[in-house]
Amino acid sequence: MDAQFALAGKDFAISVTDKKVARSIVTMKHNLDKTYELTPSTLISVAGEPGDTSNFSEYIQGNVRLYSIRNSQDLTPSETANFIRGELATALRSRRPYQVNILVTGFDKNTGEASLYWIDYLSAMSKLPFAAHGYCSYFVYSIMDREYTADITLAQGLEIVKKCMATLKMRFLVDFPDYTIKIVDKDGIRELPMSEL
């Protein structure tokens, strides 16, 4: 029951994930950050089985850092997304596939553009202006589709995020009291507290 959605403008991307970890009828944790910073300007948010998400994310994080050390440069968001997709595809064909859905948000300093990649547990990947995983997608896609424009600003993007969270609070069976909101832009990755939204 994860809530995970994101959107990308020309020069920024916003990633939103809930902080709850639940299994069946039991909530195990209320304060988990389900995002991982891979480079100073690339972030992934994960949804799925708790063990798979942490194992796979830490594996990807370690390999992306190793690439940066060996080559004295960071992977771009596009290269990172393709690497993740390849690793998921390899695991899918093994005896140990990962049940993890990923949103890759990043800012490419070479092109000056932000991007968002949607990757599911079957290693399907697509570059999108907005995306979601989990049951929340039934509610937030219609809002993002209606409100999103190609020349969206950061303030407009945060308004969309507020509308998505209000809709989830009003209509979704599961209550998500807290979210991790992270913004990726030319200045890097920063977290936005819920109180400042």
Side-chain angles (χ1 to χ4, degrees), residues 36-151:
Y36 293 82
E37 296 181 15
L38 303 183
T39 69
S41 59
T42 305
L43 171 79
I44 60 171
S45 60
V46 294
E49 293 297 318
D52 283 355
T53 56
S54 63
N55 285 344
F56 186 73
S57 299
E58 289 169 8
Y59 168 74
I60 293 297
Q61 193 175 42
N63 276 282
V64 169
R65 285 190 180 155
L66 179 62
Y67 178 90
S68 297
I69 292 167
R70 283 183 175 169
N71 297 289
S72 300
Q73 67 178 10
D74 292 330
L75 289 170
T76 65
S78 172
E79 293 166 343
T80 303
N82 281 286
F83 171 69
I84 292 169
R85 196 208 78 70
E87 292 300 313
L88 273 175
T90 301
L92 186 63
R93 288 156 182 83
S94 72
R95 292 180 181 256
R96 184 68 177 103
Y98 293 101
Q99 296 293 318
V100 58
N101 297 309
I102 299 172
L103 295 177
V104 180
T105 52
F107 183 82
D108 189 341
K109 294 185 178 180
N110 299 326
T111 62
E113 293 181 352
S115 56
L116 166 63
Y117 293 87
W118 178 95
I119 306 170
D120 73 356
Y121 71 101
L122 296 172
S123 71
M125 182 181 84
S126 185
K127 183 178 180 181
L128 300 169
F130 53 85
H133 279 300
Y135 287 115
C136 80
S137 64
Y138 293 113
F139 303 96
V140 301
Y141 266 130
S142 60
I143 295 166
M144 292 191 289
D145 188 49
R146 184 181 64 235
E147 303 285 335
Y148 184 87
T149 59
D151 58 346

Side-chain angles (χ1 to χ4, degrees), residues 176-191:
F176 298 112
D178 202 9
Y179 294 88
T180 302
I181 305 165
K182 292 196 176 176
I183 299 167
V184 185
D185 58 15
K186 65 179 177 7
D187 299 321
I189 300 168
R190 66 184 185 277
E191 185 169 352

